[in-house]
């Protein structure tokens, strides 16, 4: 059976909105076994973003939005890193060597780029292009991720976080909508900073002047059906409202905090 490096969900391209889910899958082609790790490692956040495939499918359905979901584990190659990033193929996880990734020669690296990473990004690029053509406006790109509730022994207080670089067109109104829910703690560039050179948002949005936002949801909140239902119901109307703002329909270059000075 052939291995699909992405899953494409069809939707209305005329609205201008599209979804991506870089870390939706923990799948590996058979030839890679489990990269020498115990199979149980593939149930963990190190292999994929728990809950994100389900949440993204539900959002796509509610919004009638097209979506591209990554089809391979980030342990194979990480689609949310630049090709030149040293963590593109993780060689260590939790301090232990990943046998299937170490040592990594240039040929195997190129094989993984060509078989998984580039087909995924080519599909995202193609969808972004189609949405722009069909909608006649700047596409609004929403990237869905999730994070582990405890990192290095420390509990993370945020229920969700919005990651961004310099383009705050989607950030400001979405942060306001989420913070209006008083029981919800929403991080602003937490638990990570959204400015990462050549990452997926940089490639498809920042460098093109397209409005975008990266939404991180804490994994324990979307680990089951009820959780993904609740978050899809919460986020869908917010994304619809954002997508209709006039400033979201313009191509506008903000640059990146990672730009050389
Ligand atoms: Zn992720």
């Amino acid at each position: 059976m052939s291995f699909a490096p992405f899953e494409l969900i069809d939707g209305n391209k005329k609205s201008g909105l599209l979804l991506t889910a870089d870390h939706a899958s923990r799948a590996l082609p058979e030839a890679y076994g489990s990269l020498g790790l115990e199979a149980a490692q593939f149930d963990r956040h190190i292999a994929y973003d728990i809950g994100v495939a389900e949440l993204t499918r539900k959002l796509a359905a509610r919004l009638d939005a097209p979506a591209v979901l990554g089809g391979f584990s980030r342990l194979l190659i990480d689609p949310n890193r630049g090709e030149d990033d040293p963590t593109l193929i993780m060689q260590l996880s939790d301090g232990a060597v990943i046998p299937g990734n170490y040592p990594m020669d240039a040929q195997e690296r190129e094989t993984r780029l060509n078989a998984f990473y580039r087909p995924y990004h080519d599909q995202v690029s193609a969808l972004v292009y189609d949405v722009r053509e069909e909608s006649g406006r700047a596409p609004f790109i929403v990237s869905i991720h999730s994070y582990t509730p405890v990192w290095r022994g420390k509990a993370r207080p945020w229920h969700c976080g919005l990651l961004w670089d310099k383009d705050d067109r989607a950030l400001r109104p979405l942060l306001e909508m989420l913070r209006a829910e008083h029981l919800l703690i929403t991080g602003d560039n937490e638990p990570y900073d959204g400015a990462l050179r050549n990452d997926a948002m940089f490639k498809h949005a920042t460098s093109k002047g397209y409005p975008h936002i990266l939404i991180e949801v804490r994994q324990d909140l979307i680990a089951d059906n009820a959780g993904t239902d609740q978050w899809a119901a919460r986020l869908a109307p917010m994304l619809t409202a954002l997508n209709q703002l006039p400033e979201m329909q313009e191509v506008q270059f903000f640059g990146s905090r990672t730009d050389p000075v």
Side-chain angles (χ1 to χ4, degrees), residues 9-11 19 55-67:
I9 297 176
D10 202 14
L19 307 171
L55 175 58
T56 306
R57 288 194 190 102
K58 286 177 183 178
L59 275 172
R62 279 178 180 267
L63 295 162
D64 187 21

Side-chain angles (χ1 to χ4, degrees), residues 38-180:
E38 285 189 35
Q41 296 293 336
F42 284 83
D43 298 332
R44 299 184 54 217
H45 69 93
I46 57 168
Y48 74 124
D49 282 357
I50 294 166
V52 157
E54 297 77 9
L55 175 58
T56 306
R57 288 194 190 102
K58 286 177 183 178
L59 275 172
R62 279 178 180 267
L63 295 162
D64 187 21
V68 187
L69 282 65
F72 50 91
S73 171
R74 59 150 63 126
L75 291 179
L76 189 63
I77 188 164
D78 191 336
N80 197 26
R81 294 290 183 274
E83 291 196 8
D84 54 353
D85 192 300
T87 62
L88 175 71
I89 298 175
M90 294 285 285
Q91 302 200 307
L92 290 173
S93 174
D94 281 353
V97 164
I98 300 172
N101 290 354
Y102 186 86
M104 177 58 47
D105 61 43
Q107 195 186 338
E108 173 58 18
R109 188 177 167 279
E110 195 61 20
T111 297
R112 293 191 195 183
L113 282 166
N114 284 328
F116 311 107
Y117 180 99
R118 287 171 185 151
Y120 170 73
H121 283 296
D122 288 349
Q123 180 56 66
V124 175
S125 296
L127 180 61
V128 169
Y129 179 84
D130 288 349
V131 167
R132 180 175 172 157
E133 289 297 296
E134 287 202 29
S135 66
R137 50 162 281 184
F140 172 32
I141 306 168
V142 179
S143 178
I144 308 293
H145 288 259
S146 71
Y147 57 94
T148 187
V150 180
W151 182 244
R152 298 197 167 139
K154 256 189 96 172
R156 287 165 156 170
W158 315 278
H159 297 105
C160 61
L162 302 179
L163 309 195
W164 61 295
D165 186 345
K166 276 178 86 173
D167 181 347
D168 64 355
R169 283 177 285 176
L171 177 275
R172 274 180 297 100
L174 185 55
L175 195 60
E176 198 175 302
M177 288 185 251
L178 285 163
R179 286 187 171 167

